[in-house]
Amino acid sequence: MGYAQLVIGPAGSGKSTYCSSLYRHCETMRRTVHIVNLDPAAEDFDYPVAVDIRELISLDDAMEQLGLGPNGGLIYCLEHLQENLDDWLADELENFMDDDYLVFDCPGQIELFSHVPVLRNFVDHLKRKNFNVCAVYLLDSQFMTDVTKFISGCMASLSAMVQLELPHVNILSKMDLVKNKKDIEDYLNPDSRVLLSELNANMAPQFEKLNKALLEMVDDYNMVSFMPLDLRKETSIRYILSQIDYSIQYGEDADVKVRDYDPEDNED
């Protein structure tokens, strides 16, 4: 059985920075992870790339040969990957051991994980290859400046949850750049009554019923919650990694290693 993180989120939310920091953290812990680049437009990396979609197709080639724009070209590249799941990707996955841990760094186009089925089909392929997969959804903490943006972030995350049907961990990234942590804390442990009051105050009266329904869905079912990530703190990334590991049962079947007892070790 293999293990995988599917790192998704809007453009600029810090996905590649998260992957880089995760790699360095695991390296310090003497734990091996393999980072896979699924962004055909990526150029520079702060981590070793184990598998790169650009070896199959790049965004520049798709745009030049097909006359597509950036968004259309990126969708085409991912659809091309989908057509090669049983060929190119299967061959690449053969290079890893059964219990290896892969981290897929995905593009930031929101339609890829909201309604276009490409990533869903990619996830289904990983499952058929006996991978336990967790979706890691990153949202820029500086985006959380008011209640309307918080609800927007929740709905985008919920859309990805419904589309992918995976264990799901939501992360507020770039917490090291937030000046007033108190403003963010209000959204980490939100009071639905306070949020509803703020939402109604910022929107026209005809939206009050919709606002109430949205907050009740988020609150009653506890479907969306966020964990803060401060990359300056090892404890922060360690905690988030432990939550992801738990969701995909990583390490639960590991053998307990007991060192042979030697009485001489206790002698002064």
Side-chain angles (χ1 to χ4, degrees):
M1 177 179 294
Y3 304 91
Q5 294 184 28
L6 191 72
V7 183
I8 59 177
S13 59
K15 297 181 295 296
S16 293
T17 302
Y18 164 80
C19 291
S20 176
S21 299
L22 179 66
Y23 179 85
R24 291 196 301 270
H25 174 77
C26 290
E27 190 176 38
T28 301
M29 296 173 59
R30 298 184 179 179
R31 171 176 165 180
T32 302
V33 297
H34 306 280
I35 313 294
V36 178
N37 173 49
L38 290 185
D39 186 353
E43 295 181 354
D44 300 317
F45 302 97
D46 290 331
Y47 52 78
V49 180
V51 180
D52 193 344
I53 189 178
R54 297 177 304 170
E55 295 176 359
L56 175 68
I57 188 170
S58 71
L59 178 60
D60 288 341
D61 290 342
M63 292 173 60
E64 181 178 347
Q65 295 176 16
L66 300 173
L68 298 171
N71 287 335
L74 192 141
I75 296 294
Y76 176 84
C77 289
L78 270 294
E79 289 177 343
H80 185 69
L81 170 65
Q82 178 179 269
E83 294 170 357
N84 288 271
L85 292 177
D86 293 321
D87 299 316
W88 179 80
L89 183 64
D91 291 341
E92 293 293 339
L93 293 179
E94 288 294 328
N95 296 322
F96 299 102
M97 303 293 288
D98 289 342
D99 59 348
D100 275 346
Y101 199 112
L102 306 184
V103 179
F104 293 92
D105 188 1
C106 298
Q109 272 64 19
I110 195 169
E111 57 266 34
L112 292 173
F113 44 86
S114 62
H115 59 276
V116 175
V118 172
L119 282 186
R120 172 57 188 265
N121 294 333
F122 177 81
V123 165
D124 290 342
H125 179 82
L126 291 179
K127 290 179 179 179
R128 290 194 297 271
K129 293 296 182 180
N130 209 25
F131 275 86
N132 280 0
V133 188
C134 176
V136 181
Y137 186 95
L138 273 73
L139 189 65
D140 189 343
S141 58
Q142 298 182 88
F143 180 81
M144 298 292 197
T145 55
D146 58 58
V147 64
T148 54
K149 292 182 178 179
F150 170 73
I151 296 299
S152 174
C154 286
M155 293 300 103
S157 172
L158 184 57
S159 176
M161 292 171 67
V162 172
Q163 171 79 354
L164 298 174
E165 293 188 275
L166 288 173
H168 203 93
V169 173
N170 295 304
I171 296 174
L172 278 185
S173 61
K174 305 183 183 180
M175 285 296 293
D176 50 307
L177 302 179
V178 175
K179 295 180 180 179
N180 190 351
K181 298 291 195 296
K182 179 65 169 61
D183 293 341
I184 300 298
E185 289 173 1
D186 292 340
Y187 299 118
L188 295 176
N189 299 291
D191 184 324
S192 60
R193 293 169 299 180
V194 173
L195 293 182
L196 180 59
S197 176
E198 293 180 5
L199 201 57
N200 288 337
N202 283 280
M203 299 180 69
Q206 59 263 37
F207 293 107
E208 289 185 359
K209 289 185 178 180
L210 175 62
N211 295 339
K212 187 173 184 292
L214 289 174
L215 282 168
E216 284 179 349
M217 180 176 65
V218 173
D219 189 47
D220 292 349
Y221 295 95
N222 196 25
M223 297 183 74
V224 180
S225 61
F226 292 91
M227 291 186 292
L229 174 61
D230 188 337
L231 293 178
R232 298 172 303 179
K233 302 176 181 178
E234 285 294 314
T235 53
S236 179
I237 193 166
R238 185 187 308 128
Y239 175 75
I240 285 175
L241 180 58
S242 70
Q243 297 300 305
I244 297 169
D245 288 345
Y246 178 79
S247 72
I248 56 177
Q249 300 175 307
Y250 175 77
E252 289 189 4
D253 58 349
D255 294 331
V256 177
K257 297 180 180 180
V258 180
R259 186 168 64 94
D260 291 337
Y261 175 71
D262 186 348
E264 294 183 359
D265 289 345
N266 290 331
E267 293 181 2
D268 294 332

